[in-house]
Amino acid sequence: MISIAGVIGAALFIGSGKVIANAGPAAVLAYIVGGIVVVLAMRMLGEMAVAQPDTGSFSTYADRAIGRWAGFTIGWLYWYFWALLMGWEAFVAGKILHEWFPMIPIWGYMLIVTIALVLVNLMKVKSYGEFEFWFALIKVTAIVVFLVIGLLALTHLWPWGQPDAVGFTHLTDRGFMPNGWGAVVTAMLGVMFAFIGAEIVTVAAAESDNPSKEIIKTTKSVVWRIILFYVGSIFIAVCLVPFDDPLLQDATHGTYTVTLTRLGIPEARHIVNFVVLTSVCSCFNSALYTCSRMLYSLSRRGDAHRIMQITGKSSGSPWVGVLISSVFAFVAIYLTATEKMDIYDVLMSATGTVAMYVYLCIAISQLRMRLKLEAANTPIGFKMWLFPWLTYAVIFAIPAALVVMVMEGTYRTEVIYTSMLAAVIVLMGVIAQKFNIGGQQSHAMPRMDLQPATTVTASAT
């Protein structure tokens, strides 16, 4: 359920509207292609995680396969992404709650949500798992209901709604790809932003009783989850809603609200907002969990201060990492209270293409680690398909997509800002590696009580 919650974020319910508006009905292709990249990346990550379960996940593997500077860079870049995103998730939650109950300001609700979820993450990891289970259940239920209603409308069995919200009306009536292939490739940035989070399961699995078994199971299930939840939902939406509907790009509406409203569902906006509220709280919860574990792993490798390794005696949670990771959320609360939230937009621009860099790093790490394992004749229990050709395909496709995004211009700022931030962190990582800064501090603090990995053999399919 944690892996399901990781894949389904508010971006599906709201952010996908902007993708459809930019790419037209061909947005479904962007989700298919983006989904393929994620599936391949998860398979590669699964191969490494089964061999060496670790709370640092891909950051640790980059350290081992490429070099300390690579693990340093991707670990801190990923932490920055999720730490910043928590502030936005709290802001969205605050806006929804304020709309329902205006007696408390937005920043007040943000403070309540932030403190509540920080407390959850200071408890035992089981508490985090319990919350994610129920968050995931609500989101999955909402999507299944949407898919059922959408299929009824596509087959002309839904009796309500607007006359043109039936069948495959809008799939090709204004052109399937009205803005060309460039718009589809560019739309992948929004798609990758929506998909990021699937890899959280490899972080959580390191704290399970049988990491290898759980990683294999959830990695395999990524395929059908992406096809069903994302591609299925987007296909229904582009068939029932014209891509130039202005409400698709309205952050207070989004894909699900517009589609359900056209199908005659009363109070669709409030229903979807409840699901979105669940999604942003789930995302905040997962983000804080992931950030704290990433800081713990970075600290263990000497890439963060050793204080990040301190864990609670009874909970086992890296509570220092939890508190430090929540800082940006409290900054967002302050900026909202002082009506300066636009400053946060600038910070968020530097996270726009983090997902692309993460998946590129996973591909390069898997390539190098697999070659090392094969050279040492080490048995590999869970293998990447068609190695090394699919790995090379991902390594080539991601930089190519980034180049197209810069040339096309829509997401040029996000690509450039994220690349600049990554370059700064790379420089810091290279300096840390060259002068062995922090290299002697690892294992100085108590380790988390993780269960030993159990070797599991799985077929390549």
Side-chain angles (χ1 to χ4, degrees):
M1 293 302 278
I2 288 173
S3 64
I4 290 175
V7 171
I8 308 169
L12 171 61
F13 305 106
I14 297 177
S16 56
K18 187 175 181 179
V19 175
I20 294 173
N22 292 336
V28 70
L29 296 180
Y31 277 92
I32 291 174
V33 175
I36 290 173
V37 172
V38 174
V39 167
L40 295 178
M42 284 299 295
R43 186 76 185 194
M44 291 183 281
L45 182 57
E47 177 182 299
M48 295 185 288
V50 167
Q52 303 177 46
D54 191 279
T55 55
S57 187
F58 49 85
S59 174
T60 300
Y61 308 140
D63 186 305
R64 296 170 183 170
I66 304 173
R68 181 183 173 189
W69 67 269
F72 180 100
T73 300
I74 206 66
W76 278 109
L77 194 62
Y78 195 70
W79 177 86
Y80 177 77
F81 169 81
W82 283 112
L84 265 184
L85 194 63
M86 277 188 275
W88 262 117
E89 303 297 348
F91 180 70
V92 173
K95 287 192 68 173
I96 293 174
L97 290 169
H98 178 70
E99 183 178 338
W100 292 342
F101 311 105
M103 68 286 298
I104 298 178
I106 294 176
W107 68 266
Y109 285 117
M110 292 173 66
L111 185 61
I112 293 171
V113 169
T114 299
I115 292 176
L117 293 178
V118 166
L119 291 176
V120 168
N121 277 270
L122 289 175
M123 301 177 190
K124 291 184 178 180
V125 70
K126 182 180 178 181
S127 300
Y128 162 76
E130 290 287 350
F131 272 84
E132 282 305 285
F133 174 85
W134 292 108
F135 284 150
L137 187 61
I138 292 172
K139 291 188 283 187
V140 170
T141 301
I143 293 173
V144 170
V145 171
F146 177 83
L147 292 174
V148 170
I149 294 175
L151 287 173
L152 291 175
L154 291 181
T155 54
H156 298 265
L157 297 176
W158 183 257
W160 302 284
Q162 299 180 18
D164 64 334
V166 292
F168 304 91
T169 306
H170 300 293
L171 187 61
T172 57
D173 64 335
R174 290 177 173 83
F176 178 70
M177 198 179 296
N179 299 318
W181 275 105
V184 177
V185 175
T186 300
M188 278 186 61
L189 183 56
V191 172
M192 299 305 289
F193 187 89
F195 284 152
I196 192 168
E199 66 287 338
I200 290 175
V201 69
T202 60
V203 178
E207 294 185 71
S208 68
D209 292 332
N210 195 330
S212 298
K213 180 181 177 181
E214 296 303 323
I215 290 167
I216 290 173
K217 182 172 66 176
T218 54
T219 300
K220 287 183 175 180
S221 67
V222 163
V223 179
W224 69 261
R225 280 188 269 118
I226 288 177
I227 292 174
L228 179 64
F229 297 149
Y230 277 92
V231 178
S233 295
I234 299 305
F235 180 74
I236 287 174
V238 298
C239 289
L240 302 178
V241 180
F243 75 90
D244 55 359
D245 189 319
L247 292 180
L248 283 175
Q249 298 198 65
D250 188 337
T252 62
H253 286 77
T255 310
Y256 270 48
T257 298
V258 175
T259 305
L260 293 176
T261 299
R262 289 178 63 82
L263 292 176
I265 304 294
E267 302 298 334
R269 183 180 175 189
H270 292 300
I271 295 172
V272 174
N273 275 350
F274 170 73
V275 180
V276 171
L277 177 62
T278 301
S279 294
V280 295
C281 288
S282 170
C283 186
F284 189 113
N285 198 33
S286 294
L288 190 51
Y289 171 86
T290 306
C291 280
S292 61
R293 269 58 181 181
M294 188 60 71
L295 285 181
Y296 177 87
S297 178
L298 287 167
S299 178
R300 286 286 314 284
R301 288 177 273 137
D303 293 335
H305 196 280
R306 60 179 178 273
I307 196 174
M308 308 297 181
Q309 296 178 48
I310 297 177
T311 59
K313 292 183 179 179
S314 59
S315 67
S317 171
W319 62 270
V320 176
V322 170
L323 296 179
I324 291 176
S325 297
S326 65
V327 167
F328 279 123
F330 288 104
V331 169
I333 294 170
Y334 170 77
L335 292 177
T336 302
T338 56
E339 299 183 350
K340 297 177 180 178
M341 193 60 179
D342 54 331
I343 297 176
Y344 214 77
D345 293 339
V346 178
L347 299 176
M348 282 297 294
S349 294
T351 68
T353 53
V354 165
M356 308 286 269
Y357 288 116
V358 167
Y359 295 134
L360 178 62
C361 184
I362 289 173
I364 296 174
S365 299
Q366 186 266 337
L367 175 66
R368 293 177 65 89
M369 187 175 289
R370 175 71 169 271
L371 293 175
K372 290 180 179 180
L373 292 174
E374 290 181 344
N377 294 319
T378 303
I380 303 172
F382 188 64
K383 294 183 177 181
M384 173 60 181
W385 304 298
L386 297 177
F387 180 83
W389 307 113
L390 285 180
T391 301
Y392 280 126
V394 173
I395 293 173
F396 170 79
I398 292 177
L402 291 172
V403 170
V404 172
M405 290 174 191
V406 172
M407 294 177 64
E408 194 273 341
T410 302
Y411 292 109
R412 181 178 294 137
T413 299
E414 286 80 357
V415 175
I416 293 175
Y417 278 22
T418 308
S419 299
M420 290 171 60
L421 175 64
V424 171
I425 300 177
V426 165
L427 179 60
M428 294 169 63
V430 169
I431 293 174
Q433 177 175 310
K434 183 175 179 61
F435 297 101
N436 196 32
I437 299 174
Q440 305 302 319
Q441 75 171 51
S442 60
H443 310 297
M445 301 298 288
R447 297 185 61 173
M448 295 180 71
D449 185 20
L450 303 182
Q451 296 289 336
T454 300
T455 301
V456 176
T457 302
S459 68
T461 57

